[in-house]
Amino acid sequence: MFGDRVGLVRQYTDDLGRRGEELGLIGPLESPRLWTRHIINCGLIAPLLRPGRVGDVGSGAGLPGLVLAMARPDCDFVLIEPMERRVAWLESEARELGLTNVVVVRARAEDARLDAPLDQVTARAVTALTKLIPATVRLLRHGGEMVFMKGARISDEVLVAKNTIRKHHLTNVEVLVLGEGLTTELTRVFRATVD
């Protein structure tokens, strides 16, 4: 999944396991299952990205933003995170890992001011689609794509968000399930194009 960058991913996982709970980045039960529940979960969406400028909204601990930046050095990542201590972690960790394809912006998605539109935007466990779509659509260029990691009830969430999807002119809307046969923690993705 990570090829020759797996060493970087291991270093990040070790750092997160060692400091994540103390910094409020992960819960007390997460450390032993970082690989199965978080790292692999995030890495599965790397093939959905295209070379270009990718924003990650609500980056928090760097899931999926830092994981994807390691997996996809051909993409430039803008990690958007409002909380100061998480921003400090993201900046420090990107520096420690030598990730030259990462910029961190301290802002909420709806307030972020970027110097250019994004080609794609990712998010993981941030908020419901009815709020996430309006908060991120303005960050994307025409033809840009949303790639949101969602929970097991994603199909229900898409139904609830049908008016929001229509209002913001999203096309090619689909729900993907990734990781079947590879891991017990399946990754569910909402993907759509801004028309």
Side-chain angles (χ1 to χ4, degrees):
M1 180 179 296
F2 298 107
D4 63 355
R5 316 257 305 166
V6 73
L8 275 181
V9 179
R10 283 190 182 119
Q11 181 183 337
Y12 164 73
T13 306
D14 290 346
D15 292 347
L16 187 57
R18 190 171 20 81
R19 299 193 56 221
E21 186 180 348
E22 155 202 337
L23 295 174
L25 301 169
I26 59 172
L29 303 176
E30 297 308 307
S31 202
R33 55 187 188 175
L34 282 176
W35 274 100
T36 56
R37 185 176 178 121
H38 301 288
I39 305 300
I40 292 171
N41 180 256
C42 293
L44 286 168
I45 71 166
L48 300 179
L49 302 183
R50 303 182 299 262
R53 196 161 186 240
V54 180
D56 180 44
V57 170
S59 289
L63 302 164
L66 288 177
V67 174
L68 294 173
M70 290 180 276
R72 294 296 304 266
D74 58 332
C75 297
D76 292 314
F77 288 85
V78 180
L79 309 186
I80 303 168
E81 169 58 48
M83 293 184 66
E84 185 175 3
R85 76 179 183 321
R86 292 178 179 173
V87 166
W89 158 263
L90 293 167
E91 289 173 338
S92 170
E93 198 63 15
R95 196 171 38 255
E96 288 290 317
L97 297 168
L99 298 176
T100 58
N101 62 335
V102 171
V103 172
V104 181
V105 173
R106 184 176 177 203
R108 292 168 25 116
E110 51 271 33
D111 301 325
R113 301 285 175 252
L114 305 180
D115 58 356
L118 302 169
D119 298 302
Q120 290 177 295
V121 66
T122 64
R124 179 178 188 248
V126 174
T127 189
L129 289 174
T130 54
K131 293 179 182 174
L132 189 56
I133 290 168
T136 57
V137 71
R138 62 179 209 63
L139 301 173
L140 287 159
R141 67 169 173 78
H142 177 75
E145 190 176 58
M146 296 174 176
V147 183
F148 299 147
M149 300 172 72
K150 301 300 288 178
R153 299 184 55 103
I154 179 59
S155 295
D156 295 338
E157 199 173 328
V158 171
L159 284 176
V160 170
K162 67 181 179 180
N163 291 336
T164 304
I165 291 167
R166 186 171 43 251
K167 177 181 177 182
H168 293 285
H169 309 287
L170 302 186
T171 60
N172 304 319
V173 175
E174 62 181 334
V175 172
L176 305 170
V177 179
L178 310 174
E180 289 181 294
L182 296 174
T183 178
T184 56
E185 300 279 345
L186 298 179
T187 298
R188 291 167 183 83
V189 177
F190 169 84
R191 186 162 69 167
T193 304
V194 178
D195 193 12

